[in-house]
Amino acid sequence: RRLPATCLGSMRARALCRAPHRPPWLRAKSFSSLVMADERCPALLHVDSFTRVAFAGNPAAVCLLDAPADATWMGAVAANQNLSETAFMWPTGASEVEGLEGEPARGETFELRWFTPSVEVDLCGHATLAAAHALFSAPGGRESPLLRFGTRSGELVAALRGEGCIELEFPASPPRPLLDGVGPTRGEVALALGLPVDKVVVVGASDDLLVALPDAGAVAALAPDLHAVSRWPYRGVIVTAAGSGSEA
């Protein structure tokens, strides 16, 4: 079952995974020849995030390292796995961690990096959830229910709550108004999304372009021109609409 991300104030977001933290969707993945050749990767796991069953949800590979690895090597492993993201992490010690509710607590710290099959990325939600799940599901468990990840996007915190819930705290990226001459016009956005221009509201952009439509049905029926979208100067395009009832 896919669970939504919930905004916490203007600068935080929390992702929830309420599946038990030892579900059937944590699978050991066979080592690639590259990994076996230099033995730099003690464990390589395949984790399906946001689901209670195997072979569903959003998959990510998780590579558990004992020490930092070369970026070229990590990129080659990610390309070999050929998933949207592969997470690489290694321990950096233990320290006082500010928990999700602001309380000080002892927690383990790790360095965490994410690679697609072609590039390193600054942030990835489902692969971070997969990494936290892999650590909390390790034999013997963890000394602390709190994990702190040092990343290119700053510090991220994961907490193991009751009933196997893993909570993640992420930095929010509030949209900014579009600047004239930067990125597509409203008409170009409408054309690429295959919608009438009066149905499109370009809310703003940060790393992603945020577009609002009049209803959830328009989002579900979207048939974008991905070639046109790929030319825009954004990491991605988020298309959303207000929902009601089960759509919310």
Side-chain angles (χ1 to χ4, degrees):
R1 185 163 67 94
R2 189 176 295 276
L3 297 173
T6 304
C7 270
L8 301 179
S10 61
M11 292 303 295
R12 290 183 176 181
R14 179 175 294 176
L16 302 180
C17 176
R18 294 195 176 276
H21 68 278
R22 291 179 184 272
W25 42 261
L26 174 64
R27 310 193 300 276
K29 190 178 181 76
S30 58
F31 290 118
S32 67
S33 58
L34 172 64
V35 174
M36 293 183 67
D38 53 27
E39 299 181 345
R40 276 183 267 187
C41 183
L44 182 61
L45 305 173
H46 184 126
V47 181
D48 296 321
S49 298
F50 306 122
T51 181
R52 294 179 182 273
V53 297
F55 310 110
N58 199 352
V62 178
C63 188
L64 305 175
L65 303 170
D66 293 326
D70 177 72
T72 301
W73 179 85
M74 289 189 285
V77 173
N80 182 270
Q81 300 311 300
N82 200 32
L83 293 171
S84 61
E85 275 84 18
T86 296
F88 296 84
M89 58 182 170
W90 54 90
T92 57
S95 63
E96 290 294 320
V97 177
E98 182 179 305
L100 295 178
E101 306 302 328
E103 75 281 6
R106 189 76 171 168
E108 296 176 86
T109 61
F110 294 82
E111 194 70 17
L112 176 62
R113 295 171 72 173
W114 309 273
F115 287 76
T116 73
S118 57
V119 298
E120 183 173 8
V121 295
D122 292 334
L123 187 64
C124 180
H126 81 283
T128 303
L129 180 60
H133 173 76
L135 291 172
F136 285 131
S137 299
R142 315 304 306 177
E143 294 182 1
S144 168
L146 284 176
L147 302 171
R148 184 175 70 181
F149 297 110
T151 78
R152 287 170 52 163
S153 293
E155 181 180 289
L156 309 178
V157 178
L160 181 62
R161 301 302 196 190
E163 300 179 356
C165 173
I166 296 175
E167 295 182 7
L168 303 178
E169 187 168 283
F170 274 61
S173 182
R176 301 181 297 271
L178 296 182
L179 301 175
D180 290 341
V182 178
T185 65
R186 183 184 177 196
E188 290 170 335
V189 171
L191 181 64
L193 297 182
L195 296 167
V197 68
D198 63 338
K199 300 294 185 182
V200 172
V201 176
V202 180
V203 178
S206 52
D207 292 331
D208 302 303
L209 183 69
L210 179 60
V211 179
L213 301 184
D215 57 71
V219 177
L222 204 64
D225 179 348
L226 296 180
H227 180 68
V229 169
S230 69
R231 297 196 295 267
W232 298 345
Y234 304 110
R235 178 182 61 186
V237 178
I238 301 170
V239 183
T240 187
S244 61
S246 61
E247 296 177 343

